[in-house]
Amino acid sequence: MKDKFKATALAHPNLAFIKYWGKKDEQLNLPLNGSISVNLSNLLTTTTVEFSKLLPEDQIKINGQENKKENLKVVKHLDLIRKIAGVKWRARVVSENNFPKASGLASSASGFAALTLAATAALKLKLSERKLTILARLGSGSACRSIPAGFVEWKKGEESETSYAYSIFPAHHWQLSIMALILKSEEKKISSSDGHRLAQTSPFFKTRLKNIDHRLFLLKSYLKKRDFLNFGKMVEEEALEMHAIMLTSRPSLIYWEPKTIEVIKFIQKIRTDGLPIFLTIDAGAYPFLICEKKNEVAVLKWIKKIEGIKKIIINYPSEGAKLIDNHLF
Ligand code: DP6
């Protein structure tokens, strides 16, 4: 019998059109509402996992670094997968992102999606896509949405087995351009895991939950029809609503930087001038601009006028997590 088992997976972060904000169960990452997202083609996490009989303990390196707090989460996830497979071997994990970590670019989503796929494949577990999404969710909620391809819905479910993600449309369903505007590379100070805990302290959170199933239903119909104006309007409203919940939490949570607000106002202005473009923002300061691919060149011309943007990463809807042969070690 071999004394080493290795696999490598690649996963993209996903951008939520309808957000996951607030948990019903913190241990299981069960959300208080369903959410919808798309995978982002040019942002990428690659993770190699090797289980070995010879290792005394897990060795984890993310972007070349060993971060204690992060590694604890990874070990906990590996323990879960070891338990399912019935093995005790320790693992070496090397993971690389092609973008700044913990900056609102959802590295935990692609990170736990790639880790789940690589670790289960290394241990030869044959899991359905649904089971993989459930397992990835236990590492980080939004990670479940980075497993299936293209446009993805995460069903909130009642318990762990019914809270899973699936593809509603393949990546080629709609040629959208999704531009991540990198304003600065500082790490955000409050993790989204801590932020989720505050959601229910906002007096407006109940109203949000009351309306969200209808919003999910409408967004799916706009996606289906590729109705950009209604789709974009709803996506932007949804992001501003989530940030309104954050702002009115107790204590208040403000992820935005002055530049973020400048971009919001700029986008609203060029839209009034006739350019169909909308934005969304996750638990960070970076705005994501969304337009149809046919308008990408016109949009870029405008965006380049905004001062203080370090980088623009253009993404298209993309495939889900997959196994690859190029191991990182
Ligand atoms: C604002 O999935 O990072 O990006 O489950 O605690 O790991 P944990 O939280 P996480 O939350 C993501 C929050 C969000 C919205 C979204 O992606 O839906």
Side-chain angles (χ1 to χ4, degrees), residues 57-231:
E57 56 183 32
D58 291 321
Q59 294 175 0
I60 297 142
K61 259 203 183 145
I62 304 176
N63 287 335
Q65 292 188 342
E66 293 176 34
N67 170 318
K68 260 204 178 135
K69 195 174 159 202
E70 239 174 38
N71 289 4
L72 279 177
K73 279 188 165 185
V74 173
V75 170
K76 195 172 152 217
H77 203 59
L78 289 169
D79 283 343
L80 190 68
I81 293 169
R82 278 188 278 254
K83 198 168 158 205
I84 298 173
V87 301
K88 292 211 155 47
W89 293 5
R90 303 291 107 183
R92 182 171 168 208
V93 177
V94 174
S95 184
E96 300 286 347
N97 295 331
N98 71 345
F99 56 93
K101 178 170 63 67
S103 51
L105 289 184
S107 62
S108 73
S110 50
F112 277 98
L115 177 70
T116 304
L117 185 57
T120 54
L123 292 177
K124 312 274 182 277
L125 285 170
K126 295 253 178 303
L127 300 179
S128 64
E129 181 180 275
R130 180 183 295 195
K131 280 254 174 341
L132 281 171
T133 73
I134 292 170
L135 203 47
R137 190 205 74 227
L138 294 165
S140 172
S142 56
C144 68
R145 297 187 313 233
S146 281
I147 299 268
F151 298 83
V152 175
E153 177 173 16
W154 172 9
K155 290 266 183 206
K156 74 173 172 167
E158 291 310 319
E159 72 290 310
S160 197
E161 286 309 298
T162 51
S163 186
Y164 62 89
Y166 71 103
S167 177
I168 33 181
F169 299 108
H172 62 77
H173 172 70
W174 200 3
Q175 296 235 300
L176 294 175
S177 281
I178 300 145
M179 304 175 187
L181 298 194
I182 311 298
L183 303 180
K184 55 173 195 166
S185 53
E186 242 177 63
E187 288 206 9
K188 64 184 178 191
K189 306 218 166 34
I190 312 243
S191 72
S192 36
S193 298
D194 291 338
H196 281 288
R197 221 167 277 144
L198 291 175
Q200 294 188 71
T201 67
S202 164
F204 305 115
F205 190 69
K206 278 202 177 79
T207 309
R208 168 170 169 75
L209 282 192
K210 209 169 86 205
N211 299 329
I212 206 145
D213 283 342
H214 189 55
R215 185 172 277 177
L216 284 160
F217 169 78
L218 286 177
L219 193 98
K220 275 189 277 186
S221 78
Y222 300 148
L223 271 175
K224 187 171 180 191
K225 291 184 278 188
R226 303 185 193 90
D227 174 350
F228 187 71
L229 291 183
N230 278 316
F231 163 79

Side-chain angles (χ1 to χ4, degrees), residues 25-40:
D25 184 318
E26 228 180 280
Q27 296 308 313
L28 299 173
N29 289 334
L30 288 180
L32 281 160
N33 60 272
S35 51
I36 293 177
S37 63
V38 69
N39 292 328
L40 302 174

Side-chain angles (χ1 to χ4, degrees), residues 213-278:
D213 283 342
H214 189 55
R215 185 172 277 177
L216 284 160
F217 169 78
L218 286 177
L219 193 98
K220 275 189 277 186
S221 78
Y222 300 148
L223 271 175
K224 187 171 180 191
K225 291 184 278 188
R226 303 185 193 90
D227 174 350
F228 187 71
L229 291 183
N230 278 316
F231 163 79
K233 195 162 154 257
M234 182 167 276
V235 168
E236 192 166 307
E237 265 169 27
E238 162 66 8
L240 295 178
E241 182 177 294
M242 179 184 72
H243 282 270
I245 297 291
M246 292 165 167
L247 284 166
T248 52
S249 294
R250 293 169 184 156
S252 168
L253 191 51
I254 307 177
Y255 283 108
W256 293 350
E257 297 291 331
K259 209 31 133 198
T260 318
I261 298 172
E262 197 186 312
V263 173
I264 296 174
K265 291 193 155 195
F266 184 82
I267 295 303
Q268 291 185 341
K269 171 156 188 329
I270 56 175
R271 193 164 62 228
T272 318
D273 294 346
L275 200 60
I277 176 166
F278 295 88

